[in-house]
Amino acid sequence: MLQVSIGVSTLLFIIALNNYRLGKGTSPSSILSLAAFSIGPMFLMMFLPIAILQAIILAMLTVVCSMRRSTVKSFATLAIFGSVLPYLVIGWLTYRQMADALERFPYESMVERLPTPRKLPGKESATAEKSELAALESTLGENRHYGSRTWALESLHERTLDMFLMQPGFGVARMSDMSIRALEPAATEPTPAQPGTPPSEFLSAADLTLIPTPTQGDDPVGPLSSMHRDGVIDFVGLPNFGFFKDRQHVSGFLAHRFTRTPSAGKQWKLRTLDLIGLVVHDEPVAYVSENLPRMDELRKAPKRTLDAFELKGLEALRNGQDLFVREAAAGQRVLGAIRCARQCVDCHDAERGRLLGAFSYTFTRNGP
Ligand code: HEC
């Protein structure tokens, strides 16, 4: 768009100078032609703020110089200055905006924040249920398409000059938007609090004697699977990944966090949802928090060791199971695998299918 602006500016300058030279500077036809050439591109779906600003300056100069009977030469000098001025002003304002954006979304390194997962015992990636992983990957989708936040962040760092020149100040045309606004993360709900306290019997050593969930019949695992998958998708939040260049250069990443309370249908009421992390610490840890998991809070949160149900469940997840469910009269407990999907591989530096963590849920029965 800058080229179009420069073209139109040159034309405006020639028109103003020519009219002044012919002594017709302040005639209605002269003013009209300046207006027509600066506003005219709008009919071609282009808006050129620089040209409009320049046309106003040139019209004012023409009036002042005509009144003072200035020579053509001094008019020309002032007109050159008046034509360049809008570029300087809009260039400076746009430069400030871009510099601000670079300061707000700098490249950050994930290396210290996110250790490469160590090899753990178990056959986790080999036997991981690939169908669940594939379902997660296809629901997560892609975030690098034209116009997305990731694409805007990539433009900011990797095509800075292009993005600078595509800012609206230099002219707006259809399909040429590389908006700075697209860098902003979407506004989301704050992370909800834990819905309740765990029923005490779930934490006792009796956990392991809970009755295994029946898997035949009307597939009790179905709604739990989709609840868990939706939970993982909400927690990681694809648009929050930002732009990943390499592990030292990630821009606009927002830490994983829940934005809504998962629901497993009418039958069950969620009481607690804890994250079990397998990446950040040497040993698996369960984070203790007042809110549903959000990493910026969990980094400083107290940790507890896994209880018997979770230890047993983790073993099952490591051996390829995706959900480990145990039921008792009062409710049920569920451990759901969080595996490394295709979209997580680069940042987590882990192979696809690797277990990165688990959500540990407790439910009580709803109603009578
Ligand atoms: C752009 C980088 C990035 C991407 C992409 C990413 N993560 Fe993370 N993830 C992190 C960081 C960094 C942490 C460590 C916590 C922190 O500093 O916010 C983390 C932590 C986690 C944890 C907690 C680990 C622990 O031990 O506490 C889990 C689980 C997790 N990520 C799962 C995923 C999954 C699943 C995906 C893909 C769907 C994913 N992440 C994609 C950066 C990323």
Side-chain angles (χ1 to χ4, degrees), residues 113-114 236 241 253 256 277-280 287 299 344 347-348:
R113 220 163 132 176
L114 201 54
V236 295
F241 286 2
F253 172 68
H256 308 322
L278 300 181
V279 181
V280 175
Y287 297 97
R299 262 178 252 141
C344 337
C347 203
H348 274 269

Side-chain angles (χ1 to χ4, degrees), residues 3 12 61 65 136 168 173 177 184 220 222 263 271 284 319-321 331 345:
Q3 296 92 313
L12 289 175
L61 282 177
C65 290
L136 174 70
D177 191 21
E184 301 295 336
S263 154
R271 300 290 288 259
N319 286 315
Q321 211 167 314
V345 164

Side-chain angles (χ1 to χ4, degrees), residues 24-342:
K24 301 193 296 187
T26 49
S27 72
S29 68
S30 157
I31 303 288
L32 261 177
S33 56
L34 284 183
F37 278 97
S38 58
I39 302 172
M42 275 199 217
F43 296 102
L44 300 172
M45 297 303 202
M46 282 186 282
F47 174 66
L48 305 173
I50 287 195
I52 295 174
L53 208 62
Q54 182 200 6
I56 296 171
I57 295 176
L58 289 179
M60 284 178 358
L61 282 177
T62 308
V63 173
V64 174
C65 290
S66 302
M67 277 170 14
R68 300 184 59 199
R69 299 185 187 287
S70 316
T71 61
V72 174
K73 205 171 161 199
S74 52
F75 174 79
T77 316
L78 284 172
I80 288 175
F81 183 72
S83 298
V84 172
L85 188 67
Y87 286 86
L88 296 178
V89 172
I90 288 186
W92 170 250
L93 292 177
T94 308
Y95 169 78
R96 286 301 323 148
Q97 270 186 325
M98 291 284 293
D100 266 9
L102 279 164
E103 211 167 279
R104 289 186 50 213
F105 304 106
Y107 272 140
E108 296 168 284
S109 171
M110 295 287 135
V111 176
E112 282 88 55
R113 220 163 132 176
L114 201 54
T116 297
R118 286 162 303 282
K119 269 267 163 261
L120 293 162
K123 309 168 276 181
E124 46 182 277
S125 30
T127 53
E129 253 204 54
K130 293 290 197 243
S131 61
E132 180 49 39
L133 194 60
L136 174 70
E137 288 171 343
S138 77
T139 321
L140 269 173
E142 301 304 330
N143 62 355
R144 213 168 166 173
H145 54 268
Y146 179 86
S148 68
R149 174 167 185 259
T150 301
W151 185 81
L153 287 162
E154 180 175 353
S155 306
L156 177 68
H157 289 281
E158 301 295 312
R159 298 180 289 269
T160 316
L161 184 63
D162 281 0
M163 186 163 179
F164 174 78
L165 294 176
M166 296 277 265
Q167 289 314 299
F170 295 117
V172 187
R174 253 167 59 189
M175 307 299 294
S176 77
D177 191 21
M178 240 201 217
S179 155
I180 284 192
R181 252 175 304 139
L183 299 167
E184 301 295 336
T188 49
E189 299 298 312
T191 299
Q194 294 279 358
T197 47
S200 56
E201 66 263 36
F202 284 159
L203 294 176
S204 72
D207 288 344
L208 288 177
T209 62
L210 295 169
I211 315 150
T213 308
T215 45
Q216 65 277 68
D218 44 28
D219 183 22
V221 171
L224 280 181
S225 297
S226 53
M227 173 209 69
H228 175 63
R229 192 189 310 147
D230 290 351
V232 172
I233 288 168
D234 180 35
F235 174 69
V236 295
L238 190 76
N240 298 338
F241 286 2
F243 169 59
F244 177 93
K245 185 181 181 191
D246 53 50
R247 292 189 90 223
Q248 276 87 30
H249 299 89
V250 175
S251 163
F253 172 68
L254 296 181
H256 308 322
R257 83 278 172 278
F258 271 91
T259 66
R260 48 179 192 270
T261 310
S263 154
K266 292 201 180 70
Q267 201 187 348
W268 301 108
K269 184 176 174 12
L270 179 68
R271 300 290 288 259
T272 59
L273 195 183
D274 290 341
L275 172 68
I276 295 179
L278 300 181
V279 181
V280 175
H281 299 91
D282 290 336
E283 294 296 319
V285 292
Y287 297 97
V288 183
S289 62
E290 273 178 27
N291 295 314
L292 293 185
R294 49 176 305 155
M295 288 318 298
D296 51 6
E297 178 185 344
L298 296 190
R299 262 178 252 141
K300 293 156 270 169
K303 288 145 207 90
R304 59 172 174 83
T305 51
L306 309 200
D307 67 19
F309 164 81
E310 290 163 337
L311 283 172
K312 198 153 170 66
L314 204 55
E315 206 181 295
L317 303 190
R318 283 209 172 114
N319 286 315
Q321 211 167 314
D322 273 304
L323 279 185
F324 181 78
V325 186
R326 289 293 181 267
E327 207 175 61
Q332 68 175 359
R333 294 195 63 178
V334 177
L335 200 71
I338 311 176
R339 290 191 199 280
C340 188
R342 173 166 52 77

